[in-house]
Amino acid sequence: MAPSTVLAGARVVLPTGIVTDGRVIVEGTRITAAAPADADTRITAAAPADAEVIDVRGHWLVPGFVDLHNHGGGGASFSGTADEILTAVRTHRLHGTTTLLASTVTDDMDFLVKQAGLLSELAEQGDLAGIHFEGPFISPCRKGAHSEELLRDPDPEEVRRLIDAGRGRTRMVTLAAELPGGIDSVRLLTEHGVIAAVGHTDATYEQTVQAIDAGATVATHLFNAMPPLGHRSPGPVAALLADERVTVELINDGTHLHPAALELAFRHAGAGRVAFITDAMDAAGSGDGRYLLGPLEVEVSDGVARLVRGGSIAGSTLTLDRAFKRAVTVDRLPVPDVVAALSANPARLLGLADRVGSLEPGKDADLVLLDADFDVKGVMRQGAWVVDPRMP
C-alpha cells in the first residue's frame, strides 16, 4: 500500500484562490484531495486512518514550479554528461522546480544532435520534461552569450534534424524568424507540435507579427536579446506583448529586467500569459567563479554571469524559488498571479496541465512548502520528499 500524507493548516494556493487552514492529501504519487480543512467531511474520509499528518500552519503550499528555460545548475550543464545533467536537475529540484525543460546553447549541429539523443533518454525516464534548443538559429545582432561563428540561418531541413534528434522530446526551439527560412521553420515546428519561440531576434514589429501568425507562441526572455520598445519602431516587444496567443518568458532576478519592465509585461500581457524562467547556467545553486556556457567562458561575480570576452550577460544564476520571493516581496505581485507564472502557465504551454501546475485531485503530488518569508521549507515530487520539512 502506497504511503499517505496529509499536509494540514497551510495557506494553500488552489486554481480557485487562496485557502487558509487548507489541507492537501497525498497518496502514493498523486494528490487525492485539496481543500479547506473543514470544507467537507469527505475530505477527512479521503485520508486513510494510518496517514501521516504534518502540521504546516504558518506556511504556504503551492504547486511545484515548471521551468521552460534552464541551461544547468550546481556546477553542471545540460550540455554535459548524463551525470552532469542529473546534477543540474537535482539542484533545481532543491529549489522547488519539479518539472523542467533542458535548454541547450548554440553549438555545432552534430554535437546538438548527439546531445539531443542523451537528453531524450533522460526525458523518457521522467527526469526532464523535454528539450529546448536555444540556437543556433538566432540573429548575430542579438546573439547574447552565444558563439557567433556557430550561428546559422534557420534552414527548415536543419530545424527538422533537431526535431527528429529529440525522438519526440523536442518541445521548444528559439529562433530569429526574420532570418532566411525563419517563417517556414516556425510553420514546420508548429506542424510537428513543437513550440516555436521568438528570441535572440532583430525582427521588426511586422516580422514578429508574421512569425506569430505562422505559429510562434513564446517570447524567449522578453526584452532581453531583442530590440527595445520604440515609439516609431515598436519592434518585437510590442507584438509579443499584444498578442493573446503568446506566452512571455521573464527572468525575474533583478538583473535582467528593471521592475518597471516586469510591471509593464504583467499589466499588458496579464497574469495568464507570463512564465517566469531562470535561464540558469552552471553557477545556479553554486557560487561565483569561472564557468563555461557552451564553448564560451563566463565570469560570475556577485551572482551575475557575464561573458569574459565582451561582458554580455550570460544567462543567470537564478532559481525559481528566488524568482517567487522577489515577485511577492519586491514586485508586490499577488501570490496567485506568481503561482500561475511559475506553475500553471508553463504547464499549460507544455501540454502538461492534466498532470502538473496546480494542486488538484488526480494530479502528480508536486508541491512546494514555503515559510512566511517565502523561503523553501519542503519540496515534494511525485509524492516523494526532495526537501523534507520534517528534517531539522
Side-chain angles (χ1 to χ4, degrees):
M1 186 69 123
S4 300
T5 304
V6 179
L7 299 168
R11 283 172 287 186
V12 182
V13 182
L14 301 176
T16 53
I18 299 171
V19 171
T20 59
D21 191 21
R23 172 177 291 203
V24 173
I25 301 174
V26 173
E27 293 188 57
T29 64
R30 302 281 179 169
I31 297 169
T32 58
D38 59 352
D40 196 315
T41 56
R42 288 174 299 174
I43 295 297
T44 302
D50 60 351
E52 179 185 14
V53 179
I54 302 176
D55 186 344
V56 289
R57 283 175 292 183
H59 290 70
W60 291 86
L61 198 57
V62 301
F65 308 144
V66 181
D67 196 351
L68 297 172
H69 190 152
N70 187 316
H71 297 281
S77 165
F78 291 127
S79 296
T81 65
D83 285 344
E84 290 169 335
I85 292 165
L86 292 175
T87 293
V89 169
R90 285 191 293 267
T91 296
H92 285 281
R93 283 186 188 164
L94 292 172
H95 294 274
T97 298
T98 52
T99 302
L100 62 78
L101 290 188
S103 300
T104 63
V105 294
T106 295
D107 213 312
D108 177 80
M109 279 292 291
D110 289 339
F111 173 81
L112 291 175
V113 167
K114 179 181 177 181
Q115 194 66 10
L118 175 57
L119 292 169
S120 65
E121 288 178 13
L122 294 173
E124 288 160 9
Q125 293 172 193
D127 296 300
L128 299 167
I131 308 165
H132 164 216
F133 292 101
E134 188 182 24
F137 311 118
I138 61 176
S139 171
C141 302
R142 304 287 174 176
K143 66 182 183 298
H146 290 255
S147 181
E148 185 167 357
E149 60 267 25
L150 295 172
L151 300 182
R152 57 184 67 208
D153 291 337
D155 182 332
E157 288 189 10
E158 293 203 314
V159 174
R160 177 62 187 267
R161 191 179 173 201
L162 292 186
I163 295 173
D164 293 343
R167 303 200 304 252
R169 302 292 178 168
T170 301
R171 305 303 300 273
M172 183 160 69
V173 175
T174 292
L175 51 75
E178 76 276 10
L179 296 176
I183 297 299
D184 287 341
S185 292
V186 170
R187 293 194 183 101
L188 175 70
L189 290 165
T190 304
E191 289 167 3
H192 284 80
V194 178
I195 298 164
V198 175
H200 288 275
T201 177
D202 204 41
T204 63
Y205 174 87
E206 292 76 16
Q207 289 169 327
T208 307
V209 169
Q210 186 181 7
I212 297 168
D213 287 341
T217 56
V218 167
T220 294
H221 43 54
L222 186 74
F223 299 110
N224 297 114
M226 59 182 63
L229 183 66
H231 65 292
R232 291 194 183 93
S233 179
V237 172
L240 294 164
L241 276 178
D243 200 298
E244 293 185 356
R245 294 170 289 182
V246 177
T247 298
V248 298
E249 295 181 349
L250 299 175
I251 309 172
N252 192 26
D253 61 353
T255 298
H256 281 79
L257 295 176
H258 190 282
L262 183 90
E263 181 184 10
L264 173 67
F266 260 92
R267 186 186 300 271
H268 202 76
R273 290 205 293 118
V274 172
F276 281 138
I277 61 163
T278 59
D279 194 16
M281 47 85 70
D282 304 23
S286 190
D288 289 355
R290 289 279 178 113
Y291 296 86
L292 287 176
L293 184 60
L296 301 178
E297 194 171 14
V298 175
E299 177 77 33
V300 178
S301 178
D302 294 328
V304 178
R306 294 185 179 276
L307 291 181
V308 172
R309 293 187 62 185
S312 292
I313 294 176
S316 84
T317 63
L318 187 64
T319 51
L320 283 182
D321 58 332
R322 286 171 44 211
F324 191 120
K325 182 170 182 173
R326 179 179 176 84
V328 295
T329 62
V330 177
D331 302 309
R332 302 296 181 183
L333 294 172
V335 170
D337 289 356
V338 177
V339 169
L342 285 165
S343 302
N345 298 344
R348 182 177 62 251
L349 185 72
L350 293 175
L352 300 175
D354 60 329
R355 286 182 38 219
V356 300
S358 60
L359 301 179
E360 295 180 271
K363 293 194 177 183
D364 289 354
D366 290 1
L367 52 86
V368 181
L369 185 67
L370 304 165
D371 66 15
D373 295 321
F374 298 98
D375 293 318
V376 170
K377 295 301 176 183
V379 178
M380 178 181 282
R381 183 175 186 271
Q382 296 182 359
W385 289 113
V386 179
V387 177
D388 193 334
R390 299 165 298 183
M391 301 297 288

